[in-house]
Amino acid sequence: MKKLRFLHTSDWHLGQNFMGKSRIEEHKAFLFWLLNTIKENNIDVLLVSGDIFDTGTPPNYALELYYNFLKQLSQVNSLNTTIITAGNHDSVSTLKAPKQLLEALNVHVVVNGDEDENIIIPIKEPLIENAETKAIVCAVPFLRDSVIRQSLAGETVSDKEKLANNGIKAYYEKAYNKAKEINSNIPIIAMGHLTTVGGRTSESERDIYIGGTLDIGGDYLANMFDYVALGHLHINQRIGNEHVRYSGSPIPLSFSESKNTQKVNLVTINDSADENVKVEELEVPLTKKLQVIKGDLETIKKELKAIEDKTTWIEVHIKDDNPMFANTEIRELATKLELIILAVKIEKSEKQLRAKELKAISLDELSVQEVFEKRLDLEEIENSEFKEQLSQTFNEVVSNLHESEQI
């Protein structure tokens, strides 16, 4: 029997507004490349491990990209199944609304993994009656607190960090045992959206569980599953084991990721669980370059003049005795050179930092939603539902504004 070929990707963040700039052209280019990659490599199963959208209220153009891509996938002859799980950025209601309709296109969407949702997905030959199961995917989404508590089967744990660790581990073990009950002699693959021990992070990821870092590592997951397709961390990497991996984001989502090479994972696996799994990292073509320049005024001016690609998005870190003058000089030079500077950060000396302990954050570094969330935190609103409603309403307003900019 032929080998199964999976393509593992995650963290698309469709609809991201990056310091006032849309990423629509980059995402269009990525999805076009991804579609061709699936065709060229005869991919059987596409796995998308969370954070399909950047916010819970994605702009209409992002939804259009998403649905058009899934429609195009349905026309790929080799593709058996597409499995999409929700991440912490995704809205459960947004992903859930078309769920039943997408199943007609052989697209399985798992939004929260509660008791009403089937996360165990057998992979079979398409269009063959009574076809044998060739692999099983445990499609675990970002596990919200309510689901974690259910998985603990009534245990009371006051410490939130311990609660998260125990709940997630119990959830994966339960999923694995369910898959084994179906067939213990075929590959069992897991998906997940979480931070694991030893994972390299970047500035664009949020902490998603209260209480700190989870103590779930690659070895723990590898002891159960033949491959683990993780999302949330934006750097392509393996976690303590060849077969426990993050695919990373397909485009750099912050300047801290400007030197990363974006990739997806091509996973080849036999129909026997005893066979080795082969993982090949496929490089995603870079559409928009992000560049960070650091130094004093003269150093930065020299590096700006050396930039040939005028479409590059630039972040400048100034370390100068007269930073305000340097800032003005740099922006004037960038305008003359027709370069795009998105953020200028002033690096303070140790003396300056001692004189002012208050940590200042440049508005260039924050999204509109993050500014609102920080302002909302100052109000100390105790009613969490009301606070969430305010955030949702604000995000809808911002989304509508972004929509008008696309017209």
Side-chain angles (χ1 to χ4, degrees), residues 234-397:
H234 297 163
I235 301 171
N236 183 287
Q237 57 191 296
R238 62 185 182 89
I239 303 298
N241 190 286
E242 187 69 18
H243 307 139
V244 180
R245 293 190 177 235
Y246 289 92
S247 66
S249 58
I251 66 173
L253 296 168
S254 71
F255 279 105
S256 67
E257 300 169 26
S258 61
K259 293 184 178 180
N260 296 346
T261 301
Q262 316 307 127
K263 300 174 182 177
V264 299
N265 295 331
L266 173 56
V267 184
T268 304
I269 190 166
N270 286 316
D271 60 348
S272 170
D274 296 327
E275 295 287 337
N276 290 329
V277 177
K278 178 185 176 184
V279 183
E280 181 183 357
E281 298 170 3
L282 304 182
E283 186 172 336
V284 180
L286 184 66
T287 305
K288 173 73 67 177
K289 184 179 180 183
L290 273 59
Q291 184 169 342
V292 178
I293 300 176
K294 298 182 179 182
D296 59 17
L297 177 58
E298 293 307 314
T299 299
I300 291 169
K301 287 169 72 173
K302 182 179 178 181
E303 292 202 31
L304 287 174
K305 290 175 183 177
I307 295 175
E308 296 180 359
D309 185 353
K310 303 294 184 181
T311 67
T312 301
W313 288 346
I314 306 164
E315 180 179 81
V316 173
H317 293 237
I318 302 173
K319 192 172 185 179
D320 198 274
D321 292 336
N322 191 346
M324 302 312 293
F325 172 76
N327 180 26
T328 303
E329 287 278 298
I330 288 164
R331 291 189 182 273
E332 288 178 354
L333 177 61
T335 301
K336 182 179 178 181
L337 295 173
E338 298 180 333
L339 296 174
I340 306 167
I341 292 181
L342 295 190
V344 175
K345 297 182 179 180
I346 297 172
E347 294 191 353
K348 296 181 182 296
S349 66
E350 290 185 14
K351 182 179 179 181
Q352 288 172 311
L353 289 172
R354 285 197 299 269
K356 189 175 183 182
E357 294 181 359
L358 178 64
K359 183 180 179 182
I361 301 176
S362 167
L363 289 179
D364 287 332
E365 302 175 54
L366 302 175
S367 69
V368 175
Q369 286 89 349
E370 287 170 331
V371 173
F372 182 78
E373 292 294 337
K374 289 182 179 294
R375 180 65 184 84
L376 201 58
D377 288 340
L378 295 176
E379 296 296 325
E380 297 182 352
I381 299 172
E382 294 184 3
N383 189 326
S384 60
E385 290 185 4
F386 177 61
K387 186 176 179 181
E388 186 176 344
Q389 186 179 1
L390 286 174
S391 296
Q392 183 82 358
T393 302
F394 181 79
N395 288 337
E396 289 174 1
V397 172

Side-chain angles (χ1 to χ4, degrees), residues 2 11 31 102 105 115 165 167 173 182 223 228 246 273 277 344 392:
K2 73 163 189 170
D11 297 277
L31 292 176
L102 291 176
L105 300 178
E115 291 181 353
N165 278 294
E173 288 166 14
I182 295 173
N223 286 335
V228 184
Y246 289 92
V277 177
V344 175
Q392 183 82 358

Side-chain angles (χ1 to χ4, degrees), residues 13-18 21-25 27-28 53 58-68 399 402-407:
H13 287 267
L14 300 178
Q16 187 198 37
N17 192 271
F18 183 67
K21 299 290 185 181
S22 171
R23 315 301 297 271
I24 184 171
E25 295 305 323
H27 279 128
K28 278 183 178 178
F53 298 106
N60 286 337
Y61 74 83
L63 291 167
E64 187 175 345
L65 279 178
Y66 173 64
Y67 293 128
N68 282 344
S399 179
H402 290 164
E403 278 302 315
S404 63
E405 292 173 359
Q406 298 296 321
I407 297 175

Side-chain angles (χ1 to χ4, degrees), residues 4-10 30 33-39 41 43-49 69 73 79 81-83 191 227 229 247 263-268 280-282:
L4 278 176
R5 294 167 75 82
F6 291 78
L7 198 63
H8 165 207
T9 179
S10 71
F30 163 65
W33 173 86
L34 184 61
L35 183 67
N36 286 331
T37 299
I38 290 169
K39 292 176 181 177
N41 291 279
I43 299 299
D44 298 290
V45 181
L46 173 65
L47 305 177
V48 188
S49 299
F69 176 73
L73 281 184
L79 193 65
T81 305
T82 297
I83 304 173
M191 300 172 71
Y227 182 80
S247 66
K263 300 174 182 177
V264 299
N265 295 331
L266 173 56
V267 184
T268 304
E280 181 183 357
E281 298 170 3
L282 304 182

Side-chain angles (χ1 to χ4, degrees), residues 96-269:
K96 188 175 183 178
K99 181 175 176 176
Q100 291 182 327
L101 181 62
L102 291 176
E103 285 181 4
L105 300 178
N106 236 358
V107 176
H108 298 272
V109 180
V110 180
V111 295
N112 55 20
D114 61 18
E115 291 181 353
D116 297 328
E117 194 168 34
N118 180 31
I119 68 163
I120 308 299
I121 303 173
I123 306 300
K124 301 180 179 182
E125 285 285 358
L127 305 177
I128 298 177
E129 189 175 355
N130 299 321
E132 67 175 319
T133 300
K134 301 178 66 178
I136 298 171
V137 175
C138 299
V140 181
F142 166 60
L143 296 172
R144 289 168 168 80
D145 187 63
S146 60
V147 176
I148 291 173
R149 288 180 185 273
Q150 290 171 12
S151 68
L152 284 173
E155 285 187 42
T156 303
V157 184
S158 58
D159 178 31
K160 290 184 179 294
E161 185 173 352
K162 185 177 180 181
L163 173 67
N165 278 294
N166 290 352
I168 292 171
K169 285 182 176 179
Y171 193 98
Y172 273 101
E173 288 166 14
K174 184 178 179 181
Y176 175 69
N177 289 330
K178 280 187 176 180
K180 280 185 68 178
E181 287 175 7
I182 295 173
N183 191 330
S184 60
N185 297 316
I186 59 176
I188 300 176
I189 295 163
M191 300 172 71
H193 194 89
L194 71 164
T195 305
T196 53
V197 174
R200 289 178 291 138
T201 63
S202 64
E203 292 178 1
S204 57
E205 298 127 1
R206 302 175 186 169
D207 290 334
I208 54 178
Y209 289 107
I210 297 172
T213 305
L214 301 175
D215 71 356
I216 297 171
D219 290 342
Y220 169 78
L221 294 168
N223 286 335
M224 292 183 283
F225 303 102
D226 296 282
Y227 182 80
V228 184
L230 295 172
H232 182 57
L233 300 187
H234 297 163
I235 301 171
N236 183 287
Q237 57 191 296
R238 62 185 182 89
I239 303 298
N241 190 286
E242 187 69 18
H243 307 139
V244 180
R245 293 190 177 235
Y246 289 92
S247 66
S249 58
I251 66 173
L253 296 168
S254 71
F255 279 105
S256 67
E257 300 169 26
S258 61
K259 293 184 178 180
N260 296 346
T261 301
Q262 316 307 127
K263 300 174 182 177
V264 299
N265 295 331
L266 173 56
V267 184
T268 304
I269 190 166

